[in-house]
């Protein structure tokens, strides 16, 4: 009996030791091979960061709140689309897509059906939201979209109690249209509305174990090429072209109104 207990204990110890090694060798469940996220957060603080033009997926249950976050810069008009794959058997359900800015202010959709109802037995339901153009600067009392982090929340708002908890899967994609100088304003934010940006300084950062300085930014995502903060737009080009055309018009007008040269007052032969 004692030998049996010893062998059983040794086998159990080997199994516990091999368990973490096997877990470490498995791939991360949070992203695909191309880096696209495969899960969503459950709150603003745990929202999964995604890049624009990236297809994010997640699995959950009916009744869960699914959160993603992305970065939008001045001059962009974000278009958020979500598709929910429903279980085979279910009743009528209403799903809603909400978008919030870096201050967690709910942003209205310029157009798009952000609330959609799926009929009983429907395979999928789709929702979309096209935000207003992101402005480089705005009045403090206004609710205009500003450069920074944006949060996407997807959830069911009306479902039968029997459907709550049923497994679902969701796909979210964000694309933006560059509006250009027609949306430019005379001003820019000192910093984009990114959570934690107020403490992202060298004085507030703590050195890591390797001696490197790590800032306390809660969101690390930003647009390709960094934040422009509205300092450049094609309005500069049109302003320069307009100035050049005005100068040419002034020169032409002067040449037309000047007339022929004045006759000489000196009598001939003098």
């Amino acid at each position: 009996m004692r030998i049996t207990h010893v062998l059983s204990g040794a086998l159990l110890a080997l199994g516990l030791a091999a368990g973490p090694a096997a877990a470490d060798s498995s791939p991360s469940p949070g992203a695909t091979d191309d880096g696209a996220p495969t899960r969503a957060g459950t709150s603003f603080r745990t929202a999964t960061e995604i890049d624009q033009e990236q297809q994010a997926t997640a699995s959950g249950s009916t009744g869960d709140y699914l959160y993603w976050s992305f970065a939008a810069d001045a001059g962009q008009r974000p278009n958020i689309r979500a598709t929910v794959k429903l279980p085979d058997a279910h009743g009528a359900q209403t799903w809603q897509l909400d978008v919030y800015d870096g201050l967690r202010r709910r942003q209205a959709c310029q157009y798009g059906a952000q609330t959609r109802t799926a009929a009983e037995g429907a395979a999928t339901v789709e929702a979309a939201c096209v935000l207003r153009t992101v402005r480089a600067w705005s009045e403090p009392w206004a609710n205009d979209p500003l450069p920074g982090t944006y949060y996407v929340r997807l959830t069911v708002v009306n479902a039968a109690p029997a459907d709550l908890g049923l497994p679902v899967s969701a796909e979210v994609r964000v694309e933006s249209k560059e509006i250009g100088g027609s949306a430019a304003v005379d001003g820019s934010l000192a910093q984009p509305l990114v959570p934690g940006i107020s403490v992202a300084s060298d004085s507030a950062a703590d050195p890591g174990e390797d001696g490197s300085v790590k800032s306390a930014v809660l969101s690390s995502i930003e647009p390709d090429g960094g934040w422009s903060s509205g300092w450049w737009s094609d309005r500069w080009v049109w302003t320069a072209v307009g100035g050049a055309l005005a100068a040419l018009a002034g020169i032409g007008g002067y040449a037309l109104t000047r007339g022929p040269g004045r006759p000489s007052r000196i009598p001939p032969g003098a």
Side-chain angles (χ1 to χ4, degrees):
M1 291 292 296
R2 180 175 298 179
I3 296 177
T4 303
H5 286 301
V6 172
L7 291 176
S8 300
L11 292 175
L12 179 61
L14 289 175
L16 292 176
D24 292 341
S25 61
S26 61
S28 174
T32 59
D33 294 338
D34 59 355
T38 58
R39 57 186 172 186
T42 57
S43 66
F44 287 101
R45 293 182 60 87
T46 61
T48 299
E49 296 179 351
I50 61 176
D51 295 325
Q52 295 196 30
E53 310 290 337
Q54 190 177 54
Q55 186 83 13
T57 58
S59 298
S61 301
T62 304
D64 290 346
Y65 285 93
L66 306 178
Y67 285 83
W68 296 268
S69 65
F70 66 95
D73 206 358
Q76 293 183 341
R77 181 180 293 170
N79 180 6
I80 304 100
R81 298 195 303 267
T83 302
V84 181
K85 297 180 180 179
L86 304 173
D88 296 335
H90 65 82
Q93 298 181 6
T94 301
W95 287 76
Q96 182 166 305
L97 178 70
D98 295 310
V99 184
Y100 300 82
D101 64 6
L103 299 179
R104 298 186 185 180
R105 303 177 302 180
R106 186 176 182 272
Q107 292 294 321
C109 300
Q110 188 175 20
Y111 53 88
Q114 66 178 117
T115 302
R116 297 293 298 270
T117 299
E120 181 179 355
T124 61
V125 59
E126 298 180 357
C129 176
V130 179
L131 296 179
R132 295 169 293 167
T133 303
V134 178
R135 295 163 55 90
W137 179 83
S138 178
E139 296 288 347
W141 46 263
N143 194 34
D144 296 323
L146 295 171
T149 300
Y150 283 81
Y151 297 94
V152 178
R153 185 178 71 183
L154 181 64
T155 187
V156 65
V157 294
N158 186 16
D163 291 340
L164 297 178
L166 293 179
V168 295
S169 60
E171 297 178 355
V172 172
R173 184 178 181 87
V174 180
E175 299 176 346
S176 287
K177 179 181 179 181
E178 295 290 343
I179 302 303
S182 60
V185 295
D186 295 328
S188 61
L189 297 180
Q191 294 287 353
L193 298 181
V194 176
I197 197 68
S198 59
V199 295
S201 61
D202 293 338
S203 60
D206 296 329
E209 296 179 357
D210 56 353
S212 61
V213 177
K214 299 180 180 179
S215 59
V217 179
L218 298 181
S219 178
S220 60
I221 194 170
E222 65 178 24
D224 295 337
W227 300 99
S228 65
S229 299
W231 73 272
W232 166 259
S233 70
D234 55 7
R235 189 171 65 168
W236 290 93
V237 178
W238 290 111
T239 301
V241 172
L245 292 177
L248 293 176
I251 295 173
Y254 175 76
L256 291 175
T257 57
R258 181 173 180 268
R262 294 182 179 180
S264 176
R265 293 184 180 182
I266 302 175

